[in-house]
Amino acid sequence: MNKMLFIFAMSVLVLVLFSCSQLNLFEPKSKISVIFSSAVEGEGDVTKVQEYSSYSSTVLQGLNKREEAPWIKDIQHLYVKVSKFSYKYSTGPGAGKWATPTTVEKVIDLTALDSETEWLKFDVPKGAVIVALALEVTQATVTINDQSYPVTIPAEKARVVLPNLNWEVKDDSSEIVLSIDWSRSIIKSGPTSYMLVPRVAYRWRGTLKYLWAIYGDIKVNEATPTEPLLIGLFEGTDTSATPTVLKLIPLRNEGKFWLGKHEKGIYTIVVWDNLTWEFEDEKYVISARKATETTFEHGKETAHTELHLAYSK
């Protein structure tokens, strides 16, 4: 009897574990590709500019203008080894941890990179938000007039962190495009000595939205409001409770509002107009008319909620 009970319990345990793994296995995922493009900053790129305060003006010669350093024009190759990629993603406000660094080494000749080359791919839950990236340039060699020289990479500059990205992953596949502007990253620190302080430009090929924010605009009679409005955000559907957020929308905002970042859930927005202020018992009392009310689910399909509210008077 005890043996049969044990076998039955083990069978249930295996079934539960299998079910859990299946759920995890079939959780919607999006694949992110990391691509290196030509080492020239393009339209739409954001640049991670490294600080050069610890280096003299002589050392920095030609960093921003090629014509100030003729030797840059003589560079035939600039090989860099990129490795230890890591990323941080979020599935809710305040969430997000750095993934374990992935060592995917790739040697690239930055001077010859005239097309795109894929570095690596990784998966994140669909609907998540890429919060930050980090990569490390671990080794470099420069070739000038057929002579190769090792390039020093300062330890504090080798790891490049790209923070505050807020890239929403909505598609089945998205791309992160990186480029290292070698002409403004290579420094001549001596007659035959060179240093690399990576200047990285980056671009997201996907949807860029506010992270977990609730925001939008209000139209009154299909036009921009002509009076100040009061807007309140309530958790759930009970609008008799204390609002989580209560804000005045002044005329200069033209009906646009921002209610901050919030956890997933059901929320209700109430808009009031016909505002009047009275001083009563040493405090101001606001009188208003409830103009419109909207209940919605935040964070179900995307990492933000953009609302377009409208009502008629």
Side-chain angles (χ1 to χ4, degrees):
M1 182 67 179
N2 290 338
K3 184 177 180 181
M4 290 297 296
L5 181 61
F6 174 77
I7 294 174
F8 175 76
M10 289 300 295
S11 301
V12 171
L13 178 60
V14 169
L15 180 62
V16 170
L17 290 175
F18 178 76
S19 300
C20 292
S21 62
Q22 289 283 54
L23 287 173
N24 184 56
L25 180 64
F26 293 106
E27 180 185 18
K29 298 280 188 180
S30 291
K31 189 169 294 294
I32 312 297
S33 299
V34 182
I35 293 171
F36 281 107
S37 71
S38 60
V40 177
E41 296 162 25
E43 183 179 354
D45 286 346
V46 177
T47 305
K48 171 66 175 179
V49 181
Q50 298 274 38
E51 297 295 331
Y52 302 105
S53 57
S54 59
Y55 307 109
S56 67
S57 58
T58 302
V59 169
L60 299 179
Q61 181 189 17
L63 195 61
N64 297 312
K65 296 183 179 180
R66 291 192 190 186
E67 62 269 23
E68 292 181 0
W71 58 269
I72 287 182
K73 298 177 182 179
D74 297 329
I75 293 179
Q76 297 167 296
H77 304 285
L78 179 56
Y79 294 100
V80 298
K81 179 185 286 187
V82 189
S83 62
K84 295 183 180 178
F85 174 83
S86 58
Y87 61 93
K88 185 178 182 181
Y89 74 90
S90 171
T91 55
K97 294 182 178 180
W98 282 101
T100 302
T102 302
T103 301
V104 185
E105 296 186 341
K106 190 175 188 69
V107 177
I108 305 170
D109 182 1
L110 296 181
T111 65
L113 190 61
D114 54 4
S115 60
E116 297 183 346
T117 179
E118 186 176 282
W119 181 24
L120 56 85
K121 291 184 178 182
F122 63 95
D123 293 332
V124 296
K126 196 169 185 178
V129 171
I130 301 295
V131 180
L133 301 174
L135 63 147
E136 189 170 337
V137 180
T138 55
Q139 186 178 324
T141 303
V142 65
T143 302
I144 299 177
N145 297 326
D146 297 323
Q147 182 68 42
S148 295
Y149 305 93
V151 178
T152 301
I153 304 173
E156 71 276 11
K157 304 299 181 183
R159 187 170 188 263
V160 181
V161 180
L162 311 178
N164 304 322
L165 299 180
N166 290 3
W167 288 336
E168 183 182 6
V169 183
K170 294 181 65 176
D171 305 322
D172 291 333
S173 61
S174 300
E175 295 178 341
I176 298 167
V177 183
L178 304 173
S179 63
I180 300 176
D181 191 341
W182 63 269
S183 66
R184 288 191 280 178
S185 297
I186 188 76
I187 302 168
K188 190 171 185 179
S189 54
T192 58
S193 300
Y194 300 90
M195 184 184 303
L196 186 75
V197 180
R199 178 186 174 97
V200 178
Y202 53 94
R203 188 187 311 174
W204 170 253
R205 289 177 181 166
T207 304
L208 176 60
K209 290 292 182 183
Y210 299 112
L211 174 61
W212 304 112
I214 298 174
Y215 62 100
D217 57 67
I218 304 170
K219 297 290 185 183
V220 181
N221 297 330
E222 299 183 351
T224 300
T226 57
E227 62 177 309
L229 302 174
L230 190 66
I231 187 168
L233 179 69
F234 298 83
E235 292 187 7
T237 59
D238 183 8
T239 57
S240 65
T242 302
T244 303
V245 179
L246 186 64
K247 283 189 172 183
L248 180 69
I249 306 177
L251 281 175
R252 65 176 179 271
N253 284 20
E254 299 181 334
K256 297 178 181 178
F257 61 87
W258 168 274
L259 300 179
K261 300 176 181 179
H262 300 275
E263 298 281 352
K264 296 180 180 181
I266 302 296
Y267 293 87
T268 301
I269 279 182
V270 176
V271 178
W272 295 270
D273 60 12
N274 296 348
L275 307 182
T276 59
W277 286 263
E278 297 179 0
F279 190 73
E280 183 179 297
D281 297 331
E282 299 183 349
K283 62 181 179 180
Y284 280 101
V285 177
I286 300 178
S287 298
R289 180 186 76 95
K290 181 187 285 189
T292 184
E293 178 179 318
T294 302
T295 298
F296 59 95
E297 186 170 358
H298 173 54
K300 180 180 181 181
E301 297 179 352
T302 62
H304 69 284
T305 298
E306 182 176 0
L307 299 169
H308 299 287
L309 309 177
Y311 70 94
S312 301
K313 291 192 69 173

